Amino acid sequence: MKVAVLGFGTVGKGVYDMLLASPTLEAGSVLVRTGKCDAPFKTDSIDAICADKSIDAVAEVMGGIEPAFSYCAAALKAGKHVVTSNKALVAAKGIELNTLARENNAGFLFSAACGGAVPFLHNLELARLSDEIISLGGILNGTTNFMLDKMQSEGMDYADVLKEAQALGYAEADPTADVTGLDALRKIMLGCAVAYDMLPNEGLLNEGIDSLSADDVKHFQSKGLTCRLLAKGGKVGDKLYAYVQPVLVKADAPECAVKKNFNMAKYLGKNSGQIVLMGQGAGRYPTASAVVRDLECLSYGQRVMMHTECRQVKADNGGCVCSYYVRMPKMYADSFELECAENEGDNVRAVTKSISVKDMHEKVKAIRASGASVFFAELS
Ligand code: HSE
């Protein structure tokens, strides 16, 4: 199978290297931006790739929705298989691309878009055949896990550790999606699509670590707590919930053992019980290995990961309830029903009584609208 690569950034270079080394796959041309064709294997023409009869598949690793969507659609219409590591693309346009793949007898696989090297979506696909998946989620962003780990173990500042995660190729080109939880949210959206044939596209909630300070981390450590960014999804009756938020876990929680750029993806099957998968969730070769794994799956005959029945739905996070740790200016403390509170200068560090995920995210949004700095995390 001859493969053209769309994009030559961190992951694209890794995929190209792996194709050159592969005994079963052949490297085709690499699509780069206009004016960047500085080697014979590079092209700036998607039309040339689509017209090239020797190309069987394209690996889209450019990121972003456009022009990635137009290029993938063009490749599928030309009868070429598409594999992608682009979660923004699949979360926004996955159903359309899946339909185009079916209409053109082509494949559309995207396991590299969730979990880096961790084969989470493949396992969900298998699990749903024989079991009812009650819930899914876990640590699905390598950048923020790397940051949280270093902030805690080395006392590093947020800005410095983010720069290090970028230099190591873990973060997105624009790391906003990583630190706000949007990247992990897109991954849980894909997990729900594979597990439930439901791709939630409204009612979703994401809170990241962009309000976390080094002082917050020190405070958690003094209480024996560790912060991790968790994505959660699941089905209750015919309703789906899907959200991302920081969680404070105790020292014996399995999430504490997830270090550096690692992910820990889990699902709970009605009969299987809990299944946990762990591995590198970000970085050149971990992610490239998942892209190449999908290409090999095409060789084995797999064509799609999403069923034709998959439809867009509104998520409902109103039924998910927990208590939260909150650091906020004192004047906002009466916005919540509190279990306990400690003053610290102009701020208060408090624990709320049980509240729904939806209400909590909405209340904090309202407080932040006045310019206040608030950090909150679920207490597990
Ligand atoms: N920026 C992503 C992460 C890359 O840090 O998890 C892998 O999807």
Side-chain angles (χ1 to χ4, degrees), residues 87 112-113 116 140-144 170-172 178 183 187 263 281-282 287:
K87 44 264 149 144
L140 297 181
N141 182 267
T143 301
T144 45
Y170 300 153
E172 300 300 301
D178 293 297
D183 179 81
K187 291 167 177 165
N263 280 190
T287 309

Side-chain angles (χ1 to χ4, degrees), residues 15 49 60 82 88 109 116 118 135 169 173 216-217 219 230 255 276 298 322 340 355 372:
V15 171
I49 289 176
E60 186 278 306
V82 169
L109 303 182
V118 179
S135 61
D216 291 327
V217 174
H219 179 79
L230 294 188
E255 287 82 2
V276 182
L298 288 168
C322 56
C340 58
I355 177 171

Side-chain angles (χ1 to χ4, degrees), residues 11-25:
V11 181
K13 287 180 181 145
V15 171
Y16 193 69
D17 284 351
M18 286 189 68
L19 288 174
L20 292 178
S22 169
T24 47
L25 301 166

Side-chain angles (χ1 to χ4, degrees), residues 257-277:
V258 184
K259 307 286 189 196
K260 299 185 187 165
N261 61 328
F262 276 59
N263 280 190
M264 187 180 76
K266 307 194 270 194
Y267 66 84
L268 178 65
K270 187 176 171 193
N271 298 302
S272 66
Q274 186 88 262
I275 303 287
V276 182
L277 298 158

Side-chain angles (χ1 to χ4, degrees), residues 192-368:
C192 289
V194 171
Y196 302 122
D197 295 331
M198 290 163 129
L199 179 61
N201 68 338
E202 277 184 78
L204 296 155
L205 297 169
N206 59 294
E207 173 68 18
I209 62 162
D210 46 338
S211 307
L212 180 72
S213 68
D215 279 349
D216 291 327
V217 174
K218 274 191 210 134
H219 179 79
F220 305 147
Q221 270 185 298
S222 74
K223 308 265 177 202
L225 297 170
T226 294
C227 186
R228 290 287 180 258
L229 187 66
L230 294 188
K232 298 191 185 187
K235 206 170 153 194
V236 179
D238 58 357
K239 283 191 182 157
L240 201 66
Y241 64 88
Y243 59 89
V244 173
Q245 60 190 15
V247 178
L248 294 178
V249 294
K250 299 201 178 83
D252 58 355
E255 287 82 2
C256 285
V258 184
K259 307 286 189 196
K260 299 185 187 165
N261 61 328
F262 276 59
N263 280 190
M264 187 180 76
K266 307 194 270 194
Y267 66 84
L268 178 65
K270 187 176 171 193
N271 298 302
S272 66
Q274 186 88 262
I275 303 287
V276 182
L277 298 158
M278 216 172 118
Q280 292 190 73
R284 172 171 293 168
Y285 290 106
T287 309
S289 77
V291 172
V292 173
R293 186 179 65 212
D294 276 354
L295 290 165
E296 293 291 1
C297 285
L298 288 168
S299 304
Y300 281 114
Q302 184 178 4
R303 290 293 172 260
V304 288
M305 308 186 80
M306 244 184 225
H307 288 215
T308 37
E309 302 80 43
C310 189
R311 63 186 202 284
Q312 292 187 317
V313 298
K314 184 172 178 175
D316 181 351
N317 295 309
C320 305
V321 172
C322 56
S323 69
Y324 286 92
Y325 161 90
V326 201
R327 186 255 301 144
M328 63 191 146
K330 270 181 202 158
M331 62 188 288
Y332 295 106
D334 59 6
S335 310
F336 304 93
E337 277 190 65
L338 297 181
E339 210 50 83
C340 58
E342 268 175 56
N343 287 333
E344 192 187 85
D346 294 336
N347 281 325
V348 61
R349 296 187 182 273
V351 174
T352 69
K353 289 189 189 295
S354 285
I355 177 171
S356 81
V357 170
K358 181 169 182 278
D359 287 351
M360 185 67 192
H361 283 239
E362 279 173 4
K363 274 179 195 269
V364 173
K365 195 174 169 196
I367 296 173
R368 284 183 180 148

